[in-house]
Amino acid sequence: MMHQELIAGLGLPLGELWNLTALTADSRATGRWTSLLTVKPLNLTGGVGSPANATALR
């Protein structure tokens, strides 16, 4: 029930299946662990849904 309420009802993306391996590897290599992880919708006029497009800004 929680998934239906959060995703369909509120439009809130869930990050439970995101692959953050590359971000972790980059953080280890640079020693920099601070970043902003955001989810941007697809740029579709009149769209009613969008896959979660996670983007890490460093």
Side-chain angles (χ1 to χ4, degrees):
M1 287 303 284
M2 183 178 82
H3 285 86
Q4 290 175 337
E5 292 298 322
L6 293 177
I7 297 171
L10 298 175
L12 183 71
L14 302 178
E16 60 193 0
L17 298 176
W18 294 344
N19 184 355
L20 301 175
T21 305
L23 179 60
T24 303
D26 184 64
S27 294
R28 282 191 181 128
T30 61
R32 186 174 174 190
W33 292 91
T34 304
S35 62
L36 170 67
L37 181 67
T38 185
V39 180
K40 58 184 179 175
L42 292 177
N43 188 14
L44 296 174
T45 303
V48 295
S50 181
N53 295 312
T55 303
L57 305 174
R58 298 186 37 95

